[in-house]
Amino acid sequence: MAAKVFESIGKFGLALAVAGGVVNSALYNVDAGHRAVIFDRFRGVQDIVVGEGTHFLIPWVQKPIIFDCRSRPRNVPVITGSKDLQNVNITLRILFRPVASQLPRIFTSIGEDYDERVLPSITTEILKSVVARFDAGELITQRELVSRQVSDDLTERAATFGLILDDVSLTHLTFGKEFTEAVEAKQVAQQEAERARFVVEKAEQQKKAAIISAEG
């Protein structure tokens, strides 16, 4: 009798474990700041976007693809040319996130690694286009204007891929060795000219002082 009871308990425990496993495989979590897209083996990627929380799915038939929808930083270095054909090294810092409602399209047309596929290419494209409108000197003196133009053009371009850019900024801007040396030489020449002018003015003041003293 006891053996039958234990056998019944064992069968019940096994059934309970199997049921628990099935239920567990039918649940998935979407963390805060994330969204999920559902891939169905029979119907493909679903148009709905699943929000935060715990949700049900059909085991084996459906699979959740989780996307991080929080702003994330990315640095993109680019080497390009200015209007006067000077080599320019630029690093752009971007804060980006996907448009949640467009995640099914992003996953279908680009993939989970959309940032790797899209951001470097469009950043290089926009930077080369904008920098080519300015000569090297203007890139230095009008850096704020350049940064704003890059931000506007890149934000518009990213929107076509379903991406939002919360911030775009130039963090690094340097030129080729020849241009840098030319700028340094120009600065040295200007400093020498200022020094020479100071010496001349000082001599004139001393001369005037000597004349006044003699007249006195």
Side-chain angles (χ1 to χ4, degrees):
M1 182 70 179
K4 289 184 178 180
V5 171
F6 284 116
E7 183 179 354
S8 297
I9 293 174
K11 289 180 179 179
F12 177 75
L14 178 61
L16 189 62
V18 171
V22 171
V23 171
N24 186 61
S25 65
L27 295 174
Y28 67 96
N29 293 318
V30 179
D31 295 332
H34 293 67
R35 297 292 185 273
V37 171
I38 302 300
F39 173 74
D40 190 294
R41 293 181 183 272
F42 300 107
R43 294 180 296 171
V45 178
Q46 304 299 292
D47 291 332
I48 61 170
V49 176
V50 183
E52 302 165 0
T54 300
H55 307 275
F56 289 94
L57 54 71
I58 303 174
W60 187 82
V61 175
Q62 294 179 328
K63 174 186 175 183
I65 296 89
I66 310 296
F67 286 88
D68 189 347
C69 291
R70 299 169 296 183
S71 287
R72 289 180 289 156
R74 185 183 180 94
N75 292 328
V76 182
V78 176
I79 299 176
T80 184
S82 63
K83 186 177 180 180
D84 54 349
L85 304 180
Q86 297 294 336
N87 287 329
V88 187
N89 300 305
I90 297 181
T91 299
L92 202 65
R93 184 177 185 274
I94 304 169
L95 275 178
F96 71 95
R97 56 190 169 93
V99 178
S101 61
Q102 295 191 35
L103 285 175
R105 180 176 73 86
I106 292 173
F107 178 64
T108 302
S109 60
I110 306 174
E112 291 182 72
D113 58 344
Y114 62 89
D115 55 322
E116 294 286 346
R117 294 173 178 267
V118 171
L119 289 177
S121 61
I122 65 173
T123 300
T124 300
E125 171 192 338
I126 296 300
L127 273 175
K128 288 188 174 182
S129 173
V130 173
V131 171
R133 305 171 198 168
F134 300 86
D135 61 37
E138 291 171 337
L139 291 173
I140 297 174
T141 59
Q142 302 181 37
R143 179 166 175 164
E144 185 178 345
L145 174 61
V146 175
S147 181
R148 184 167 62 250
Q149 189 65 63
V150 169
S151 178
D152 292 344
D153 291 359
L154 190 57
T155 299
E156 182 179 353
R157 188 80 174 91
T160 63
F161 293 93
L163 302 181
I164 297 172
L165 304 186
D166 292 319
D167 183 63
V168 178
S169 58
L170 294 175
T171 59
H172 180 75
L173 176 63
T174 59
F175 299 90
K177 182 180 179 181
E178 293 181 358
F179 179 78
T180 302
E181 290 176 348
V183 170
E184 291 175 351
K186 183 179 179 181
Q187 290 177 339
V188 170
Q190 288 176 340
Q191 291 173 355
E192 291 294 336
E194 288 292 331
R195 187 178 295 109
R197 187 173 64 180
F198 173 76
V199 171
V200 171
E201 289 178 353
K202 183 179 180 182
E204 289 180 352
Q205 292 297 329
Q206 290 175 340
K207 181 179 178 181
K208 289 180 180 179
I211 294 172
I212 294 173
S213 177
E215 290 177 349

